[in-house]
Amino acid sequence: MSDGGRSAATRRAAGSRPPGTVGIKQVAKQAGVSPGTVSNVLNRPERVAAATRARVEEAIKDLGFVRNGSASTLRAGQGRTIGLMVLDLGNPFFTEVARGVEDECSERGYAVILATSAASPDREGRNMLMLAEQRVRGVLITPVDDNTARLDRLRARGVAAVMLDHIATQPHQCAVAVDDVAGGDMAVAHLLASGARTIGYVTGPLTIRQCADRRAGALRALRAAGRPQDALREAVVPTMTPRDGQRAAERLLADRPLPDAIFCANDLLAMGVLRALLLAGVEVPGDVALIGYDDIEFAAAAAVPLSSIRQPMYQLGRIATEMLLDECDNSAGHAHQQVMFQPELVVRESAP
């Protein structure tokens, strides 16, 4: 019988078995290796020679072997799963970050459990406990605030952690962030250079680090231009959504005169502001210039293409995941890092 015939027969036999009855020993026997080698192919493939790994993978395919993830997790104490907790799943910024996380995990043989804090400290705490109970190897988290006690408790349980889109406050913390002070400065400096004298700042809660840092950058740009702090008119809203952006703009419209320009803490807010201004007959940028933040995909497709501060969203997710998995797989040699990306101004029609 040819090799192809044996393979086909093996597949037919495997197909007749109940799911889960093929074990590592059968795979090892067919591949002509030890059960330990099969285990290495499943858990530490980099330790196995390419030819041997290919033989084991062919046996796995022929026999229809499916690893028992829950059993291996119980034996090892932890599985090949990480958690990703973000502030808002409805924000395309986090969708793109998650894509970078998932791509890196997929290439490294890890799975991802996704959770959201909805910017609530209580919900963040509950979800962190849930992830620890799921025996994740590590967690990527965009914290709700600067209180890292919840993160320290997670580390005390042996779970690695990297702060994503957040600045580290302690040397033992790994973090990947964007310089949002520089981003806020960049946005307002551009508006001032274009002739704006008064600027509205539409933002989510200032307890969120990104909102506070972008405000600090806006004030820095005003100081550098010799403008007073009250040249920045703030509108703080509960959520960073188009709906609340529209409400913030309606407040600015009711409190005339309008500012010469508006800077928004993210693009979703900016889209809501743009809608309110256009409905009120306000020309953008003729009457009011507008800049958002993040440069999500929809920014360029807005009714008036939106100028924005671009963040490297995909790279944020990917680099943070590299750091986390390095700590998971190489805890003894892992060195904590704090990586800071620089933002970029993207000029479109809303604020030329």
Side-chain angles (χ1 to χ4, degrees):
M1 184 182 292
S2 69
D3 289 344
R6 280 199 301 272
S7 180
T10 301
R11 289 192 185 96
R12 284 194 295 273
S16 65
R17 296 187 183 98
T21 60
V22 177
I24 283 180
K25 289 182 179 179
Q26 290 99 314
V27 174
K29 182 176 180 181
Q30 174 148 325
V33 299
S34 70
T37 299
V38 176
S39 178
N40 278 338
V41 169
L42 293 171
N43 299 298
R44 295 170 293 276
E46 69 282 356
R47 296 187 180 182
V48 183
T52 303
R53 189 166 67 242
R55 209 161 66 242
V56 172
E57 288 170 347
E58 181 65 21
I60 287 171
K61 180 179 176 183
D62 286 347
L63 292 170
F65 170 79
V66 177
R67 69 185 293 170
N68 186 336
S70 60
S72 61
T73 295
L74 289 172
R75 286 193 297 273
Q78 290 178 314
R80 293 183 71 81
T81 303
I82 68 164
L84 169 62
M85 183 150 48
V86 299
L87 294 174
D88 178 13
L89 288 175
N91 188 336
F93 168 84
F94 289 113
T95 303
E96 188 66 8
V97 168
R99 191 171 69 86
V101 172
E102 204 281 330
D103 281 355
E104 183 67 23
C105 281
S106 179
E107 291 176 13
R108 301 273 292 269
Y110 275 80
V112 183
I113 298 175
L114 182 60
T116 178
S117 65
S120 162
D122 289 342
R123 183 165 172 175
E124 178 181 90
R126 291 194 302 271
N127 281 341
M128 289 174 80
L129 179 60
M130 176 273 294
L131 291 170
E133 290 172 345
Q134 292 294 316
R135 295 176 180 264
V136 296
R137 295 285 302 280
V139 171
L140 294 166
I141 180 170
T142 305
V144 171
D145 51 36
D146 289 331
N147 181 0
T148 60
R150 294 180 291 275
L151 202 58
D152 292 338
R153 287 195 291 270
L154 195 67
R155 286 181 175 279
R157 300 179 69 135
V159 180
V162 171
M163 289 191 290
L164 178 59
D165 196 31
H166 201 281
I167 297 169
T169 58
Q170 301 293 332
H172 68 274
Q173 295 169 340
C174 276
V176 180
V178 174
D179 189 343
D180 284 315
V181 176
D185 187 329
M186 196 178 297
V188 172
H190 178 76
L191 295 171
L192 292 170
S194 300
R197 302 284 294 170
T198 57
I199 295 172
Y201 178 48
V202 175
T203 179
L206 294 174
T207 52
I208 296 174
R209 194 275 309 171
Q210 293 86 341
C211 295
D213 281 1
R214 291 164 197 176
R215 176 183 182 273
L219 292 173
R220 187 171 77 182
L222 287 171
R223 288 194 299 272
R227 301 291 298 145
Q229 180 170 325
D230 61 9
L232 191 73
R233 292 171 51 190
E234 298 177 53
V236 180
V237 290
T239 67
M240 298 173 71
T241 60
R243 177 180 295 179
D244 271 353
Q246 184 168 349
R247 289 171 178 164
E250 288 166 354
R251 279 159 44 190
L252 291 171
L253 284 162
D255 185 22
R256 299 282 183 147
L258 277 171
D260 302 317
I262 297 175
F263 168 44
C264 296
N266 75 1
D267 286 340
L268 296 181
L269 288 169
M271 289 180 179
V273 168
L274 178 62
R275 174 176 169 78
L277 293 177
L278 295 179
L279 285 174
V282 176
E283 292 187 5
V284 177
D287 297 321
V288 176
L290 178 64
I291 290 185
Y293 206 106
D294 292 339
D295 195 34
I296 61 176
E297 184 178 357
F298 305 124
V304 178
L306 188 65
S307 294
S308 187
I309 301 298
R310 176 178 292 164
Q311 300 199 76
M313 298 171 278
Y314 179 85
Q315 289 85 350
L316 274 171
R318 188 123 198 179
I319 295 299
T321 308
E322 286 181 5
M323 291 165 59
L324 182 70
L325 298 188
D326 178 70
E327 185 172 358
C328 291
D329 295 337
N330 182 34
S331 58
H334 176 74
H336 295 299
Q337 301 178 65
Q338 292 83 39
V339 176
M340 180 74 78
F341 286 96
Q342 291 301 309
E344 174 188 356
L345 173 65
V346 178
V347 176
R348 298 191 182 95
E349 283 87 333
S350 72

